[in-house]
Amino acid sequence: MESLKEKKLPKATAKRLPVYLRHLKILDATGVQRIKSKEFAEITQVPSATIRRDFSHLGELGRSGYGYDVPYLIEVLSHILETNEEKKIALIGFGNLGKALANNNFRRNENLSVTAVFDNDPQLVGQTVGDHYVYGMDQLAEVVKEEGITVAISTVPSRYAQSAVDVIVDAGITAILNFAPDPVVVPKAVNIQYIDLTTELQTLIFFDTTYSQKTRV
Amino acid sequence: MESLKEKKLPKATAKRLPVYLRHLKILDATGVQRIKSKEFAEITQVPSATIRRDFSHLGELGRSGYGYDVPYLIEVLSHILETNEEKKIALIGFGNLGKALANNNFRRNENLSVTAVFDNDPQLVGQTVGDHYVYGMDQLAEVVKEEGITVAISTVPSRYAQSAVDVIVDAGITAILNFAPDPVVVPKAVNIQYIDLTTELQTLIFFDTTYSQKTRV
């Protein structure tokens, strides 16, 4: 499947792949082996014609009237989204969340690893905590250059997030995963993704409250 | 706007609201005040006719040829997704991630609060760590009933996630936010949402690598 990674997918298609993958994994876990584009459209809220067109970019994945093979689709999509190249990650902010992420080290993909940890707490900078030496934020640009780091994960709280992200961008990093949900401003060439736990929780509760089919006792 | 919360939105519309809200916040942060459904369709990958129909359920939000007011849309969507009722949350697993979530306490919504913390580590159970007393998992059903807890956040690692979720479901909880990304099996009446940090990171890197407009030096 190597050729798939080299071929550029339409960006709109690429954006939908993680959504497809997430829903396919849930189907797989509930024992669904085959799915038709119409059924998958209902689940993903993507029109079935779009799904068929997207999947056609990925090769011969389905047969007319038969549907798509769920485990095979998962394999293909996982392969496309997987990073085969080793990616070095700077972790910014070493509180509880930073520690959880540093130790987790994204186990499911061995090409993702936290290379260096940064904070600006004088009590932490220069210390080794667990396996991680903590650098000061003023050392970021230097360490990023030396280590060839291209990705940053920021666990810096919202009110300091913009200034942390400015330092990250100045250091030449172009991909940022931000755990502070308030949007920050970055140059066009920088990709930033937000993890917003309050919204995830609110969405869950909204569905549980509004659409629940339970009989309340 | 209270009537909106009482009126049931189509479930398909409701599912898209968090997606809309996330993109609107990013637009707002970059200074965009007004957006047409066609432009918004390109950003969200939702067809513009669907967007217009979804928004029509929310009242008079736009004018023909003028587009939608971004800050106002944010206000309306936030209001709908917000929990006005207090929700009590059980936090399962009190490692670094659990501690980060317990202390964060979902600040942006004061109706969300971690009511009780659970673990099955004998070194933790019965201890008070920071502000949190740690209960054993065998006390979950009892505490859930006493406190009126309806939501659980699980930070239990993948290999123990199914057995933790089984205990959570048996305790009568119907909304679960699971930080272990491998799908678990729950009854139909239970809503479960996954936070998959490896996939989020892979998606970010995929876009950074494949669609970057940067000139590499």
Side-chain angles (χ1 to χ4, degrees):
Chain A
M1 285 183 276
E2 209 48 37
S3 60
L4 269 179
K5 294 194 73 99
E6 283 149 27
K7 205 171 97 186
K8 253 198 174 184
L9 292 171
K11 188 164 180 174
T13 297
K15 277 202 173 185
R16 285 185 287 265
L17 300 186
V19 177
Y20 294 152
L21 183 57
R22 193 202 291 202
H23 288 287
L24 287 165
K25 282 183 175 173
I26 295 171
L27 286 170
D28 188 52
T30 54
V32 176
Q33 293 286 309
R34 232 159 56 187
I35 186 120
K36 295 192 177 177
S37 56
K38 275 209 173 153
E39 299 162 331
F40 200 51
E42 273 174 38
I43 295 167
T44 57
Q45 306 298 328
V46 176
S48 59
T50 306
I51 291 174
R52 284 193 298 273
R53 200 178 57 235
D54 286 347
F55 285 179
S56 74
H57 291 295
L58 309 177
E60 290 295 320
L61 294 182
R63 267 188 287 146
S64 177
Y66 173 94
Y68 296 95
D69 186 274
V70 172
Y72 183 63
L73 259 180
I74 290 175
E75 201 189 311
V76 171
L77 294 181
S78 300
H79 182 81
I80 294 170
L81 288 174
E82 210 169 74
T83 310
N84 290 322
E85 224 179 306
E86 198 197 334
K87 287 285 171 182
K88 293 188 173 180
I89 301 170
L91 179 70
I92 321 294
F94 204 51
N96 282 315
L97 181 57
K99 282 182 192 127
L101 295 171
N103 295 332
N104 166 51
N105 241 338
F106 305 97
R107 274 187 209 98
R108 287 185 302 122
N109 187 330
E110 58 190 19
N111 289 313
L112 302 177
S113 63
V114 171
T115 304
V117 167
F118 299 84
D119 205 299
N120 60 6
D121 179 349
Q123 304 248 304
L124 281 173
V125 174
Q127 305 293 313
T128 299
V129 184
D131 295 336
H132 301 278
Y133 177 83
V134 184
Y135 291 96
M137 281 301 279
D138 54 350
Q139 296 169 282
L140 184 69
E142 193 192 323
V143 177
V144 161
K145 205 175 160 190
E146 271 175 24
E147 296 279 356
I149 291 170
T150 55
V151 179
I153 299 175
S154 172
T155 67
V156 173
S158 279
R159 64 185 180 288
Y160 306 119
Q162 181 69 59
S163 59
V165 165
D166 289 346
V167 177
I168 293 167
V169 169
D170 283 346
I173 286 175
T174 53
I176 304 170
L177 190 63
N178 188 8
F179 278 83
D182 295 334
V184 293
V185 182
V186 294
K188 267 219 164 140
V190 174
N191 293 290
I192 187 160
Q193 188 133 334
Y194 298 89
I195 307 273
D196 182 350
L197 298 177
T198 303
T199 299
E200 297 280 355
L201 196 57
Q202 284 181 179
T203 305
L204 174 71
I205 291 168
F206 174 69
F207 279 103
D208 193 56
T209 310
T210 316
Y211 295 94
S212 147
Q213 301 165 332
K214 294 167 287 268
T215 316
R216 304 219 182 251
V217 185
Chain B
M1 284 182 279
E2 209 47 38
S3 61
L4 268 179
K5 294 195 74 100
E6 283 150 27
K7 205 172 98 184
K8 253 196 175 187
L9 291 170
K11 188 164 180 173
T13 296
K15 277 200 172 185
R16 286 185 287 266
L17 300 187
V19 178
Y20 293 152
L21 182 57
R22 192 202 292 202
H23 288 286
L24 286 164
K25 282 184 175 173
I26 294 171
L27 286 169
D28 188 52
T30 55
V32 177
Q33 293 286 308
R34 231 159 55 185
I35 187 120
K36 295 191 179 179
S37 56
K38 274 207 174 155
E39 299 162 332
F40 200 51
E42 274 174 37
I43 296 168
T44 57
Q45 306 298 329
V46 176
S48 59
T50 306
I51 291 175
R52 285 193 297 273
R53 200 178 54 234
D54 285 347
F55 286 179
S56 74
H57 290 295
L58 310 176
E60 289 295 320
L61 294 182
R63 267 188 287 146
S64 177
Y66 173 93
Y68 296 96
D69 185 273
V70 172
Y72 183 63
L73 260 180
I74 291 175
E75 201 189 311
V76 172
L77 293 180
S78 301
H79 182 81
I80 293 171
L81 289 174
E82 209 170 74
T83 310
N84 290 322
E85 224 180 306
E86 198 198 334
K87 288 285 172 182
K88 293 188 172 180
I89 301 170
L91 179 71
I92 320 295
F94 204 50
N96 281 315
L97 182 57
K99 282 182 192 125
L101 295 171
N103 295 331
N104 166 51
N105 241 337
F106 305 96
R107 274 188 208 96
R108 288 185 303 123
N109 186 331
E110 58 189 19
N111 289 314
L112 302 177
S113 64
V114 172
T115 303
V117 167
F118 300 84
D119 205 300
N120 59 6
D121 179 349
Q123 305 248 305
L124 281 173
V125 174
Q127 305 292 314
T128 299
V129 184
D131 295 337
H132 301 279
Y133 177 83
V134 184
Y135 292 96
M137 281 300 280
D138 54 350
Q139 295 168 283
L140 185 69
E142 192 192 324
V143 176
V144 161
K145 204 174 159 192
E146 270 175 24
E147 296 279 356
I149 290 170
T150 55
V151 179
I153 299 176
S154 172
T155 67
V156 173
S158 279
R159 65 185 178 288
Y160 305 120
Q162 181 70 59
S163 59
V165 165
D166 290 346
V167 176
I168 293 166
V169 168
D170 283 346
I173 285 176
T174 54
I176 304 170
L177 191 63
N178 188 9
F179 278 83
D182 295 334
V184 292
V185 181
V186 294
K188 266 216 163 144
V190 174
N191 292 290
I192 188 160
Q193 189 134 333
Y194 298 88
I195 308 272
D196 182 350
L197 298 177
T198 304
T199 299
E200 297 280 354
L201 196 58
Q202 285 181 178
T203 305
L204 174 71
I205 290 169
F206 174 69
F207 278 102
D208 193 56
T209 310
T210 316
Y211 295 94
S212 147
Q213 299 165 334
K214 295 168 286 269
T215 318
R216 306 221 178 249
V217 186

mmCIF file of all heavy atoms in Angstrom, chain B residues 185-201:
data_model
loop_
_atom_site.group_PDB
_atom_site.id
_atom_site.type_symbol
_atom_site.label_atom_id
_atom_site.label_comp_id
_atom_site.label_asym_id
_atom_site.label_seq_id
_atom_site.Cartn_x
_atom_site.Cartn_y
_atom_site.Cartn_z
ATOM 1 N N VAL B 185 -17.414 -2.579 24.641
ATOM 2 C CA VAL B 185 -18.811 -2.922 24.376
ATOM 3 C C VAL B 185 -19.677 -2.406 25.522
ATOM 4 O O VAL B 185 -19.369 -2.648 26.689
ATOM 5 C CB VAL B 185 -18.962 -4.448 24.226
ATOM 6 C CG1 VAL B 185 -20.408 -4.822 23.937
ATOM 7 C CG2 VAL B 185 -18.044 -4.962 23.119
ATOM 8 N N VAL B 186 -20.733 -1.657 25.177
ATOM 9 C CA VAL B 186 -21.684 -1.171 26.186
ATOM 10 C C VAL B 186 -23.111 -1.428 25.688
ATOM 11 O O VAL B 186 -23.327 -1.535 24.481
ATOM 12 C CB VAL B 186 -21.521 0.350 26.465
ATOM 13 C CG1 VAL B 186 -20.188 0.653 27.119
ATOM 14 C CG2 VAL B 186 -21.696 1.176 25.201
ATOM 15 N N PRO B 187 -24.075 -1.508 26.607
ATOM 16 C CA PRO B 187 -25.475 -1.644 26.177
ATOM 17 C C PRO B 187 -25.900 -0.420 25.352
ATOM 18 O O PRO B 187 -25.316 0.662 25.490
ATOM 19 C CB PRO B 187 -26.252 -1.683 27.500
ATOM 20 C CG PRO B 187 -25.257 -2.005 28.553
ATOM 21 C CD PRO B 187 -23.941 -1.485 28.074
ATOM 22 N N LYS B 188 -26.948 -0.593 24.551
ATOM 23 C CA LYS B 188 -27.426 0.466 23.646
ATOM 24 C C LYS B 188 -27.783 1.761 24.363
ATOM 25 O O LYS B 188 -27.619 2.850 23.819
ATOM 26 C CB LYS B 188 -28.658 -0.026 22.884
ATOM 27 C CG LYS B 188 -28.315 -0.620 21.535
ATOM 28 C CD LYS B 188 -29.384 -0.298 20.500
ATOM 29 C CE LYS B 188 -28.810 -0.549 19.110
ATOM 30 N NZ LYS B 188 -29.792 -1.088 18.165
ATOM 31 N N ALA B 189 -28.290 1.635 25.581
ATOM 32 C CA ALA B 189 -28.767 2.817 26.298
ATOM 33 C C ALA B 189 -27.624 3.657 26.872
ATOM 34 O O ALA B 189 -27.850 4.744 27.400
ATOM 35 C CB ALA B 189 -29.710 2.399 27.411
ATOM 36 N N VAL B 190 -26.392 3.153 26.768
ATOM 37 C CA VAL B 190 -25.242 3.872 27.324
ATOM 38 C C VAL B 190 -24.529 4.650 26.213
ATOM 39 O O VAL B 190 -24.266 4.120 25.135
ATOM 40 C CB VAL B 190 -24.259 2.886 28.006
ATOM 41 C CG1 VAL B 190 -22.994 3.591 28.456
ATOM 42 C CG2 VAL B 190 -24.937 2.195 29.183
ATOM 43 N N ASN B 191 -24.271 5.920 26.467
ATOM 44 C CA ASN B 191 -23.532 6.751 25.518
ATOM 45 C C ASN B 191 -22.067 6.763 25.905
ATOM 46 O O ASN B 191 -21.729 7.094 27.036
ATOM 47 C CB ASN B 191 -24.065 8.184 25.562
ATOM 48 C CG ASN B 191 -25.471 8.278 25.027
ATOM 49 O OD1 ASN B 191 -25.694 8.130 23.831
ATOM 50 N ND2 ASN B 191 -26.439 8.472 25.921
ATOM 51 N N ILE B 192 -21.208 6.419 24.945
ATOM 52 C CA ILE B 192 -19.777 6.435 25.251
ATOM 53 C C ILE B 192 -19.056 7.261 24.195
ATOM 54 O O ILE B 192 -19.392 7.228 23.016
ATOM 55 C CB ILE B 192 -19.202 4.999 25.380
ATOM 56 C CG1 ILE B 192 -17.758 5.033 25.882
ATOM 57 C CG2 ILE B 192 -19.324 4.216 24.098
ATOM 58 C CD1 ILE B 192 -17.289 3.723 26.495
ATOM 59 N N GLN B 193 -18.124 8.076 24.644
ATOM 60 C CA GLN B 193 -17.344 8.914 23.732
ATOM 61 C C GLN B 193 -15.865 8.649 24.008
ATOM 62 O O GLN B 193 -15.458 8.493 25.157
ATOM 63 C CB GLN B 193 -17.696 10.384 23.999
ATOM 64 C CG GLN B 193 -17.131 11.334 23.001
ATOM 65 C CD GLN B 193 -18.173 12.349 22.533
ATOM 66 O OE1 GLN B 193 -19.383 12.069 22.560
ATOM 67 N NE2 GLN B 193 -17.738 13.514 22.116
ATOM 68 N N TYR B 194 -15.071 8.580 22.937
ATOM 69 C CA TYR B 194 -13.656 8.254 23.084
ATOM 70 C C TYR B 194 -12.778 9.469 22.811
ATOM 71 O O TYR B 194 -13.050 10.239 21.906
ATOM 72 C CB TYR B 194 -13.257 7.152 22.088
ATOM 73 C CG TYR B 194 -14.002 5.863 22.301
ATOM 74 C CD1 TYR B 194 -15.225 5.635 21.688
ATOM 75 C CD2 TYR B 194 -13.489 4.882 23.138
ATOM 76 C CE1 TYR B 194 -15.925 4.448 21.899
ATOM 77 C CE2 TYR B 194 -14.175 3.694 23.347
ATOM 78 C CZ TYR B 194 -15.393 3.485 22.730
ATOM 79 O OH TYR B 194 -16.080 2.324 22.945
ATOM 80 N N ILE B 195 -11.729 9.599 23.583
ATOM 81 C CA ILE B 195 -10.698 10.584 23.297
ATOM 82 C C ILE B 195 -9.469 9.783 22.885
ATOM 83 O O ILE B 195 -8.913 9.036 23.683
ATOM 84 C CB ILE B 195 -10.342 11.426 24.541
ATOM 85 C CG1 ILE B 195 -11.590 12.033 25.176
ATOM 86 C CG2 ILE B 195 -9.288 12.468 24.211
ATOM 87 C CD1 ILE B 195 -12.009 13.352 24.644
ATOM 88 N N ASP B 196 -9.078 9.932 21.637
ATOM 89 C CA ASP B 196 -7.972 9.121 21.132
ATOM 90 C C ASP B 196 -6.808 10.039 20.765
ATOM 91 O O ASP B 196 -6.744 10.597 19.687
ATOM 92 C CB ASP B 196 -8.459 8.333 19.916
ATOM 93 C CG ASP B 196 -7.370 7.419 19.370
ATOM 94 O OD1 ASP B 196 -6.207 7.535 19.812
ATOM 95 O OD2 ASP B 196 -7.696 6.597 18.501
ATOM 96 N N LEU B 197 -5.885 10.187 21.709
ATOM 97 C CA LEU B 197 -4.825 11.177 21.527
ATOM 98 C C LEU B 197 -3.835 10.771 20.439
ATOM 99 O O LEU B 197 -3.326 11.627 19.710
ATOM 100 C CB LEU B 197 -4.105 11.407 22.856
ATOM 101 C CG LEU B 197 -5.011 11.971 23.957
ATOM 102 C CD1 LEU B 197 -4.244 12.096 25.255
ATOM 103 C CD2 LEU B 197 -5.597 13.318 23.556
ATOM 104 N N THR B 198 -3.583 9.475 20.300
ATOM 105 C CA THR B 198 -2.657 9.039 19.249
ATOM 106 C C THR B 198 -3.216 9.388 17.869
ATOM 107 O O THR B 198 -2.501 9.894 17.004
ATOM 108 C CB THR B 198 -2.373 7.531 19.356
ATOM 109 O OG1 THR B 198 -1.873 7.257 20.659
ATOM 110 C CG2 THR B 198 -1.347 7.082 18.333
ATOM 111 N N THR B 199 -4.514 9.134 17.669
ATOM 112 C CA THR B 199 -5.121 9.459 16.381
ATOM 113 C C THR B 199 -5.131 10.964 16.129
ATOM 114 O O THR B 199 -4.864 11.421 15.018
ATOM 115 C CB THR B 199 -6.562 8.893 16.296
ATOM 116 O OG1 THR B 199 -6.480 7.482 16.431
ATOM 117 C CG2 THR B 199 -7.212 9.221 14.965
ATOM 118 N N GLU B 200 -5.407 11.750 17.157
ATOM 119 C CA GLU B 200 -5.391 13.209 16.992
ATOM 120 C C GLU B 200 -4.004 13.673 16.541
ATOM 121 O O GLU B 200 -3.853 14.495 15.649
ATOM 122 C CB GLU B 200 -5.756 13.924 18.304
ATOM 123 C CG GLU B 200 -7.137 13.656 18.831
ATOM 124 C CD GLU B 200 -8.227 14.472 18.145
ATOM 125 O OE1 GLU B 200 -7.896 15.337 17.319
ATOM 126 O OE2 GLU B 200 -9.415 14.228 18.427
ATOM 127 N N LEU B 201 -3.001 13.103 17.179
ATOM 128 C CA LEU B 201 -1.629 13.474 16.854
ATOM 129 C C LEU B 201 -1.260 13.006 15.448
ATOM 130 O O LEU B 201 -0.636 13.739 14.666
ATOM 131 C CB LEU B 201 -0.697 12.863 17.903
ATOM 132 C CG LEU B 201 0.713 13.400 18.001
ATOM 133 C CD1 LEU B 201 0.730 14.893 18.270
ATOM 134 C CD2 LEU B 201 1.469 12.693 19.123
#
